Amino acid sequence: MTTTFGSEMAVPLYISAIGLVMLASAVWRHRRRDMVGMAASLVMAALAGYVLLR
């Protein structure tokens, strides 16, 4: 079975991009004093980190 170049790295790349965006969102929401949104973004970033490191 042949795979396209980089297809085995596509999923971890997408997961790390989502984690980075969620971390940036948490910082933005903290600056806006939106603590519930910040907590939700941090949970999503933590889940992305957990999936990458398991």
Side-chain angles (χ1 to χ4, degrees), residues 14-46:
Y14 290 141
I15 292 172
S16 61
I18 289 169
L20 185 62
V21 167
M22 287 295 110
L23 193 57
S25 176
V27 170
W28 178 255
R29 289 174 185 269
H30 177 68
R31 290 176 53 105
R32 295 293 209 169
R33 304 290 190 247
D34 178 12
M35 295 300 149
V36 174
M38 180 194 68
S41 294
L42 283 176
V43 167
M44 291 298 293

Side-chain angles (χ1 to χ4, degrees), residues 6-18:
S7 65
E8 62 273 357
M9 289 300 297
V11 173
L13 182 63
Y14 290 141
I15 292 172
S16 61
I18 289 169

